Amino acid sequence: MGIARRSLLIGALALMVAVPVFSGVASAGANDPLFINLTTDESHRATMAIGFGGNQLKLGHPLSIFLNDRAVVIASTANAGTFAEQQAALKALVEKGANVIVCPMCMKHYGVAEADLLPGLKVGNPELTGGLLFQDNGKTLSW
């Protein structure tokens, strides 16, 4: 067998192995959980993340949103004037069964008090956050 033919055969075999392996990477089951890692307090990006999550929740995907780094300021009722739209969306998601978790270290860093969190939001801990992040068939996105 010639070198060109052997290279073609090896390439075809590699493709036959790779296609099934990588084609499943982007697929999602009808009820796969979604974990969104939101790190920004930039209103457009936060609205995009929260809205995307809400749409997936409507489609049957259990939703968890992890507010960390600058995003923790969105969770505080003290910032209601700045983040009214995002807070209303988070409240609606919680009412529909979504989990919204707030990073405790980031809360401390940015001066967000637990007493100021929107109703239904939970302060994260390794068990809670990890349990939602590492669900079977879970998918993650980050903003």
Side-chain angles (χ1 to χ4, degrees):
M1 182 179 303
I3 293 175
R5 193 170 180 175
R6 182 177 299 177
S7 295
L8 183 61
L9 179 60
I10 290 171
L13 289 173
L15 188 59
M16 287 172 48
V17 170
V19 168
V21 169
F22 292 112
S23 66
V25 171
S27 68
N31 296 9
D32 287 353
L34 176 60
F35 186 97
I36 293 178
N37 178 41
L38 181 56
T39 64
T40 184
D41 64 346
E42 195 279 308
S43 63
H44 175 69
R45 289 179 61 213
T47 300
M48 291 281 299
I50 296 164
F52 182 88
N55 287 332
Q56 296 309 306
L57 183 65
K58 286 178 192 172
L59 294 173
H61 297 281
L63 175 64
S64 299
I65 299 177
F66 181 49
L67 303 176
N68 71 97
D69 197 26
R70 295 275 325 152
V72 299
V73 299
I74 296 170
S76 175
T77 57
N79 298 316
T82 305
F83 299 109
E85 180 183 357
Q86 294 81 11
Q87 289 185 1
L90 288 172
K91 180 182 176 191
L93 290 176
V94 167
E95 289 172 356
K96 293 175 183 166
N99 294 292
V100 180
I101 310 143
V102 188
C103 172
M105 289 186 298
C106 302
M107 288 172 60
K108 182 177 179 181
H109 180 78
Y110 291 107
V112 174
E114 185 172 353
D116 290 336
L117 291 181
L118 297 168
L121 274 57
K122 303 169 189 165
V123 176
N125 61 57
E127 293 79 19
L128 173 63
T129 307
L132 294 168
L133 175 61
F134 297 114
Q135 293 182 76
D136 288 343
N137 300 314
K139 308 297 185 243
T140 60
L141 286 174
S142 187
W143 259 273

